[in-house]
């Protein structure tokens, strides 16, 4: 007797129909017709039979014979053989001891219908863990271990009724008549309730796909694996797999190729593990390749893997990724279109605002999309509001991003640069509202509204802190991307000056400003002169903090900036450049030259009536006179600076003035006055978000308390200063405060 598939094919051809034509006439898909003819689905539902018979024009005996060919045969009497259907596990199972212990522990609990759901990205080792646990648990389930590959992400997954039918028959039962998902699922639960059977249900699409196959009451249990998280299975214990730590990845590689080869080439072995993304499947396949090529050095495979163009194929992960991405395209086209854009930036993690600018959608919509991708394990979420692409998935996504036009790439990166610039300029406005930089930006460059346009300095500086690792990378990548406006990139460097100063991130400042200067030099004289000034200050601060040898680079940048302003003919900025030369020369030993620059700057500012820019000028000069042995003159300059700063809302300049007033009083033994001035300075630095100077002022305040013999207060304040200096102040300053604490 013909199989149903053969009979269907014969009748279709006799009717002169293609599979596509029969599918259209019957209201089925061509894929479904093909599966029936191949025998992938041997027992179609009654409704499917009726549609096909109508489309083929069958009636009477022909229709009856057609239906009979699709009938399920009665199950012959079964033997007493206990089904043990689990496939063999992998030879080198290692690195999942904690996860394995958890699965074994959950299934050892004396509870009814235990379900464990193992989720993770493609290649993470879900099936290997499920099978290892299943084999170890065989004795606890004396009535059998059944395995089903649900192929949930395949183009033609098995019919759920076929799966239920198989399980029911494997357990010695008969499917109910009429057969429906509800009745078959109930029959399965009834059969399982009186037994102790372990079901391993591999590759579930989602909760709805696997729920009808799960046990209910009784001693049976199930292990489910899925690339998607299954939070909608309330009875399931969730086990989420991550990549292996390096030590476990090396153990897995050693199990494949031998510990002696790993020990002989430890650096190359670590490189292989890293380039495999610490992904078990990739490590297993890479190890198998080395095991079958004993003459290959491990370094040779590391070299091959280092080529990004071939890494997906060398690691063998491409088919799994393609299946996962294909399922995403079928179920969530919007997420599939967005996914390649998320791979464009060379940063390890993406925040919601950064991802939103890449995708050009609002933050709330972006977060929902990122969460969907996380549920599908195409992203991970290392912290609230942050998302990460696995290195190998990033390569796969970038292959799809190659379909983007150059204009689309440039537009996405430009939007990110604009966001970074917007936040940078908010920090500038909060700390230095009178800066000439705002004149440069006005009418020449605009940004979209930043996430918090009226945010406090703590919020804005906190945002920049969280994205600090992005800023240098974004600027460099944008500069290398044709179509990203140079002026927008330069705006990031120009706007970040006060943030870099507040956080003492001088190396970051130099990297960003050098890129920006290369873009605007010879094109925008004002931006170029300002960036040279910023580079001069940053280089000087590195020397002052003991991280660079001398001031030559700093002096060269600042003198060139001074010459630029003279050529531009902007006396206000000429005065600012002279003041910066005063500050930088003062950091060195050339006090006389520093005073000359400072007095020229002060005279020029006063001739222009620019009281609001005198504050730092006065403080810098006061410090220099103090170094020449005239503390009362320093006090007079600092006091005038505070008056000017408070009258012009110069927060940073006022804070600096109070700091110097406090230092002079402390050095003269006026400790009560010193404490009052330094407390005011700390408040202002904190409000401005300038953490380095907050720390330096706290150190001075601790010394003033020590002068008052208040050792407990001195210790508390110095401890707070040390914590900040460790992060922002450099090793030398921190060592000084640590020594003072030890003396206390």
């Amino acid at each position: 007797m013909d199989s149903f598939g053969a009979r269907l094919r014969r009748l279709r051809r006799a009717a002169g129909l293609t599979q596509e034509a029969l599918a259209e006439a019957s209201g089925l898909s061509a894929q479904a017709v093909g599966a029936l003819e191949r025998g992938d689905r041997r027992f179609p539902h009654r409704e499917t039979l009726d549609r096909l018979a109508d489309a083929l024009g069958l009636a009477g005996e022909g229709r009856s014979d057609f239906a009979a060919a699709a009938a399920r045969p009665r199950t012959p009497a079964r033997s007493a053989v206990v089904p043990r259907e689990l496939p063999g596990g992998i030879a080198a199972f290692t690195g999942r001891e904690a996860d394995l212990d958890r699965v074994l522990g959950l299934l050892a609990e004396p509870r009814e219908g235990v379900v464990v759901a193992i989720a993770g990205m493609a290649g993470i080792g879900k099936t290997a863990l499920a099978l290892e646990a299943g084999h170890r648990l065989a004795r606890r389930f004396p009535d059998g271990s059944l395995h089903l590959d649900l192929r949930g992400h395949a183009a033609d997954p098995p019919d759920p009724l076929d799966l239920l039918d198989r399980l029911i028959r494997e357990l010695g039962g008969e499917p109910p008549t009429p057969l429906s998902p509800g009745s078959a699922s109930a029959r399965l639960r009834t059969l399982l309730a009186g037994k102790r059977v372990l079901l391993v249900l591999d590759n579930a699409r989602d909760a709805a796909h696997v729920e009808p196959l799960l046990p209910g009451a009784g001693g049976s249990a199930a292990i489910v694996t899925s690339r998607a998280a299954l939070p909608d299975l309330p009875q399931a214990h969730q086990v989420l797999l991550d990549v292996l730590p390096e030590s476990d990845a090396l153990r897995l590689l050693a199990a494949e190729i031998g510990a002696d080869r790993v020990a002989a080439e430890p650096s190359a072995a670590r490189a292989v593990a890293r380039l495999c993304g610490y992904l078990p499947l990739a490590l297993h396949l890479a190890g198998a390749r080395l095991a079958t090529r004993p003459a290959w050095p491990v370094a040779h495979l590391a070299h091959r893997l280092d080529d990004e163009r071939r890494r997906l194929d060398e690691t063998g992960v491409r088919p799994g990724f393609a299946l996962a991405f294909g399922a995403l395209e079928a179920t969530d086209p919007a997420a599939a279109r967005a996914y390649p854009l998320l791979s464009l930036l060379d940063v390890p993690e993406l925040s919601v605002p950064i991802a939103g600018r890449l995708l050009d959608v609002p933050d709330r919509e972006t977060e929902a999309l990122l969460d969907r991708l996380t549920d599908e394990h195409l992203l991970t979420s290392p912290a609230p509001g942050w998302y990460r692409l696995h290195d190998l998935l990033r390569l796969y996504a970038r292959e799809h991003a190659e379909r983007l036009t150059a204009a689309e790439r440039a537009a996405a990166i430009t939007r990110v640069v604009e966001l970074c610039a917007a936040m940078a300029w908010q920090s500038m406005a909060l700390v230095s509202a009178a800066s000439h930089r705002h004149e440069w930006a006005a009418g020449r460059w605009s940004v979209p509204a930043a996430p918090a346009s009226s945010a406090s300095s703590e919020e804005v500086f906190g945002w920049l802190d969280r994205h600090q690792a992005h800023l240098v990378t974004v600027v460099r990548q944008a500069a290398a991307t044709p179509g990203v406006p140079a002026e927008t990139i330069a705006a990031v460097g120009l706007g970040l000056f006060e943030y870099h100063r507040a956080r003492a991130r001088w190396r970051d400042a130099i990297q960003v400003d050098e890129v920006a200067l290369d873009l605007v030099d010879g094109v925008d004289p004002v931006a170029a002169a300002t960036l040279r000034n910023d580079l001069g200050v940053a280089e000087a601060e590195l020397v002052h903090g003991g991280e660079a040898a001398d001031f030559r680079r700093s002096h060269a940048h600042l003198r060139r900036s001074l010459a630029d302003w003279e050529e531009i003919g902007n006396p206000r900025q000429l005065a600012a450049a002279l003041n910066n030369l005063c500050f930088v020369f003062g950091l060195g030993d050339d006090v006389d030259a520093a005073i000359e620059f400072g007095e020229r700057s002060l005279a020029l500012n006063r001739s222009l009536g620019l009281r609001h820019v005198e504050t730092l000028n006065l403080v810098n000069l006061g410090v220099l006179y103090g170094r020449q042995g005239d503390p009362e003159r320093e006090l007079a300059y600092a006091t005038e600076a505070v008056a000017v700063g408070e009258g012009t809302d110069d927060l940073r300049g006022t804070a600096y003035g109070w700091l110097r007033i406090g230092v002079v009083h402390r050095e003269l033994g006026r400790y009560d006055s010193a404490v009052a001035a330094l407390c005011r300075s700390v408040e202002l630095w904190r409000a401005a978000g300038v953490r380095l100077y907050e720390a330096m002022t706290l150190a001075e305040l601790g010394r003033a308390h020590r002068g008052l013999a208040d050792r407990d207060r001195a210790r508390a304040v110095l401890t707070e200063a040390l914590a900040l200096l460790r992060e922002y102040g450099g090793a030398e300053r921190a060592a000084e405060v640590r020594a003072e604490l030890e003396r206390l």
Side-chain angles (χ1 to χ4, degrees):
M1 182 178 177
D2 286 347
S3 68
F4 177 76
R7 183 180 292 261
L8 176 60
R9 186 183 303 109
R10 179 164 48 78
L11 290 169
R12 173 179 62 76
R13 289 174 176 171
L17 298 173
T18 62
Q19 285 186 353
E20 290 75 12
L22 178 57
E24 185 176 354
S26 62
L28 302 176
S29 67
Q31 192 176 68
V33 173
L36 288 167
E37 290 192 358
R38 290 192 305 271
D40 293 345
R41 293 181 56 190
R42 294 176 295 157
F43 310 116
H45 306 161
R46 184 70 195 186
E47 181 184 355
T48 301
L49 279 172
D50 289 341
R51 288 185 178 188
L52 289 169
D54 290 343
L56 293 167
L58 299 178
E61 187 176 345
R63 192 178 186 107
S64 299
D65 290 344
F66 184 67
R72 298 173 186 269
R74 292 188 60 83
T75 306
R78 298 180 60 85
S79 68
V81 175
V82 174
R84 295 293 182 191
E85 298 183 352
L86 299 191
I90 62 172
F93 182 86
T94 186
R96 291 285 183 211
E97 287 78 5
D99 297 310
L100 180 61
D101 287 345
R102 180 156 185 250
V103 174
L104 295 176
L106 289 169
L107 290 164
E109 293 181 4
R111 297 196 302 112
E112 296 189 343
V114 176
V115 177
V116 176
I118 303 172
M121 65 179 285
I124 203 73
K126 303 178 293 295
T127 299
L129 175 60
L131 292 177
E132 184 72 17
H135 285 298
R136 296 197 187 193
L137 289 165
R139 290 186 179 181
R140 296 184 189 171
F141 295 94
D143 296 317
S145 306
L146 301 180
H147 175 265
L148 284 180
D149 185 355
L150 306 183
R151 294 166 48 213
H153 295 283
D156 55 342
D159 187 297
L161 277 176
D162 287 342
L163 297 173
L164 284 163
D165 177 82
R166 177 184 160 188
L167 288 175
I168 290 168
R169 293 176 187 275
E170 288 288 347
L171 294 169
E174 283 291 335
T177 304
L179 186 65
S180 69
S183 64
S185 182
R187 178 66 56 87
L188 175 63
R189 289 193 296 273
T190 299
L191 290 168
L192 289 171
K195 300 176 183 290
R196 288 187 57 79
V197 174
L198 177 66
L199 304 178
V200 177
L201 306 173
D202 211 2
N203 291 318
R205 181 181 63 249
D206 51 32
H209 186 206
V210 75
E211 193 165 20
L213 306 173
L214 299 178
S220 293
I223 302 176
V224 181
T225 73
S226 176
R227 288 176 191 166
L230 301 176
D232 296 336
L233 282 180
Q235 72 271 48
H237 300 274
Q238 306 292 333
V239 176
L240 175 63
L241 299 188
D242 200 353
V243 296
L244 296 173
E246 184 185 76
S247 57
D248 286 344
L250 292 173
R251 284 173 53 208
L252 177 55
L253 190 60
E256 295 282 355
I257 68 173
D260 54 337
R261 292 178 74 180
V262 171
E265 298 181 77
S267 297
R270 285 195 296 272
V272 169
R274 174 178 55 81
L275 292 168
C276 285
Y278 307 107
L279 200 62
L281 175 63
L283 285 161
H284 169 68
L285 294 174
R289 174 168 292 191
L290 284 172
T292 57
R293 293 161 175 79
W296 277 20
V298 179
H300 176 67
L301 180 60
H303 176 71
R304 290 168 68 106
L305 290 171
D306 199 41
D307 184 349
E308 290 187 353
R309 296 168 300 177
R310 63 196 298 182
R311 192 179 305 161
L312 293 176
D313 296 312
E314 291 281 345
T315 55
V317 298
R318 183 187 298 282
F321 289 176
L323 201 59
F325 190 72
L328 183 70
E329 287 180 310
T331 59
D332 195 341
R337 286 192 299 273
Y339 193 60
L341 285 166
L342 299 175
S343 71
L344 289 182
L345 288 182
D346 297 326
V347 295
E349 296 170 3
L350 294 171
S351 67
V352 171
I354 295 290
R357 294 318 188 273
L358 284 171
L359 304 180
D360 200 18
V361 297
D363 285 358
R364 181 173 295 182
E365 184 180 335
T366 297
E367 188 165 21
L369 184 147
L370 296 175
D371 282 338
R372 295 201 303 274
L373 290 170
T374 302
D375 287 341
E376 294 294 329
H377 293 287
L378 292 166
L379 296 175
T380 59
S381 180
W386 287 84
Y387 297 84
R388 178 186 295 151
L389 267 168
H390 185 274
D391 289 347
L392 294 175
L393 277 171
R394 182 188 302 281
L395 289 179
Y396 185 79
R398 281 189 171 173
E399 289 185 351
H400 285 265
E402 290 175 3
R403 303 171 188 174
L404 298 171
T405 66
E408 288 172 327
R409 288 169 171 270
I413 292 176
T414 298
R415 290 191 295 269
V416 174
V417 176
E418 288 175 342
L419 173 63
C420 294
M423 297 307 296
W425 283 83
Q426 280 199 38
S427 72
M428 177 65 65
L430 286 163
V431 177
S432 188
S435 171
H436 78 282
R437 297 163 196 261
H438 299 290
E439 297 174 7
W440 175 87
R444 304 187 46 182
W445 173 76
S446 61
V447 295
S453 56
S454 59
S456 66
S457 62
E458 184 176 346
E459 291 169 321
V460 173
F461 278 67
W463 192 97
L464 291 170
D465 285 340
R466 291 190 296 276
H467 293 80
Q468 177 263 332
H470 289 60
L471 298 172
V472 174
T473 300
V474 167
V475 165
R476 284 179 167 171
Q477 192 172 352
T481 303
V484 180
E487 193 171 68
T488 307
I489 300 169
V492 178
L494 290 165
L496 282 173
F497 179 74
E498 292 297 351
Y499 169 73
H500 283 146
R501 172 149 54 184
R503 296 301 197 243
R505 299 197 187 280
W506 300 116
R507 292 198 180 278
D508 286 356
I510 290 168
Q511 293 182 74
V512 169
D513 291 346
E514 285 179 342
V515 172
L517 180 58
D518 283 344
L519 294 172
V520 299
D521 198 12
V523 177
D524 186 335
V526 170
T530 306
L531 288 164
R532 286 194 178 95
N533 167 81
D534 296 354
L535 282 165
V537 172
E539 294 280 5
E541 290 285 5
L542 284 183
V543 178
H544 188 53
E547 298 181 55
D550 57 52
F551 289 95
R552 282 179 294 180
R553 288 175 60 86
S554 171
H555 290 174
H557 282 305
L558 288 169
R559 289 187 184 279
R560 176 66 188 278
S561 177
L562 183 66
D564 287 347
W565 289 120
E566 287 174 335
E567 184 176 343
I568 291 167
N570 187 321
R572 175 182 170 183
Q573 296 318 313
L574 185 61
L578 287 165
N579 186 48
N580 281 324
L581 282 162
C582 167
F583 170 72
V584 169
F585 272 76
L587 291 177
D589 295 326
D590 199 344
V591 175
D592 291 338
I595 288 176
E596 181 184 347
F597 285 127
E599 290 291 2
R600 283 175 61 192
S601 174
L602 184 61
L604 188 52
N605 277 326
R606 286 178 170 169
S607 71
L608 297 169
L610 300 175
R611 293 286 289 169
H612 60 286
V613 296
E614 286 183 28
T615 317
L616 290 175
N617 204 170
L618 287 162
V619 177
N620 288 337
L621 276 168
V623 171
L624 294 168
Y625 287 123
R627 287 174 62 183
Q628 287 188 329
D630 192 347
E632 294 299 339
R633 190 172 185 182
E634 177 177 5
L635 192 61
Y637 270 73
T639 302
E640 184 181 358
V642 167
V644 172
E646 289 178 342
T648 58
D649 295 325
D650 183 352
L651 194 64
R652 187 166 58 85
T654 307
Y656 197 14
W658 280 117
L659 166 60
R660 294 311 306 173
I661 290 170
V663 170
V664 172
H665 281 311
R666 180 186 65 77
E667 290 175 344
L668 294 174
R670 306 166 187 164
Y671 297 116
D672 286 324
S673 297
V675 167
L678 292 168
C679 283
R680 179 61 181 147
S681 180
V682 168
E683 290 173 6
L684 293 171
W685 288 127
R686 192 168 290 156
V690 184
R691 307 310 297 276
L692 171 59
Y693 278 82
E694 178 188 343
M696 292 165 59
T697 307
L698 284 167
E700 292 291 348
L701 180 58
R703 293 166 189 137
H705 282 299
R706 189 180 63 193
L708 288 170
D710 189 346
R711 295 171 65 85
D712 290 341
R713 186 63 187 148
R715 185 179 293 107
V717 173
L718 287 171
T719 299
E720 187 179 357
L722 180 59
L724 286 172
L725 286 170
R726 280 173 174 157
E727 185 171 0
Y728 302 109
E732 216 172 286
R733 294 189 185 100
E736 284 181 26
V737 174
R738 191 183 303 108
E740 291 181 80
L741 279 167
E742 289 171 359
R743 287 194 294 272
L744 278 172

